[in-house]
Amino acid sequence: MEIKDYKAIEPVRFDNEVAKGVAGRVLIGKADGAPNFCMRLFEIAPGGHTPRHTHDWEHEMFYHSGQGEVYGNGQWNPVGPGSAVLVKPNEEHQVRNTGTEPLMLLCLVPSGAPEL
């Protein structure tokens, strides 16, 4: 068993035209000996967003704090603390922070997907 404090993991920051105000951390991944899944934590600054994209694998997101929207099924959908989202394979999606505080979410992807 391995137990970590997420704050001890240095974030990878994304801040450009495609992804704005995003900090990502791999909480549990290949380096930890996790053979099947990768758990990531994303913190999106107010006004920030992830890139709009698709990929061949599903992933799950759980929103911990803040307010935002997730793009899916051709429309923007509100999310906040306690929201759980399944993104199906090849589904176009994007997350944006619509609030005044950081939007924090956990994201699980299968092994073989990029960890960040």
Side-chain angles (χ1 to χ4, degrees), residues 57-109:
W57 56 88
E58 70 172 82
H59 65 90
E60 294 80 23
M61 295 183 280
F62 179 79
Y63 292 81
H64 175 69
S65 62
Q67 297 295 317
E69 294 179 322
V70 61
Y71 183 83
N73 297 323
Q75 64 184 15
W76 287 100
N77 304 278
V79 290
S83 297
V85 175
L86 168 64
V87 177
K88 295 179 181 175
N90 301 306
E91 182 176 5
E92 186 176 43
H93 58 285
Q94 181 179 21
V95 177
R96 66 184 179 192
N97 185 335
T98 59
T100 58
E101 59 187 62
L103 178 63
M104 295 187 69
L105 64 118
L106 283 173
C107 180
L108 300 173
V109 294

Side-chain angles (χ1 to χ4, degrees), residues 6-78:
Y6 84 93
K7 294 175 189 170
I9 300 167
E10 192 65 31
V12 175
R13 299 190 184 280
F14 303 90
D15 203 6
N16 53 48
E17 315 80 49
V18 179
K20 179 182 173 187
V22 178
R25 293 174 168 94
V26 175
L27 302 182
I28 299 171
K30 292 175 188 161
D32 303 298
N36 299 307
F37 300 98
C38 176
M39 179 188 295
R40 310 173 304 174
L41 176 70
F42 289 100
E43 184 173 346
I44 304 171
H49 59 84
T50 65
R52 188 172 297 190
H53 63 287
T54 64
H55 41 67
D56 293 337
W57 56 88
E58 70 172 82
H59 65 90
E60 294 80 23
M61 295 183 280
F62 179 79
Y63 292 81
H64 175 69
S65 62
Q67 297 295 317
E69 294 179 322
V70 61
Y71 183 83
N73 297 323
Q75 64 184 15
W76 287 100
N77 304 278

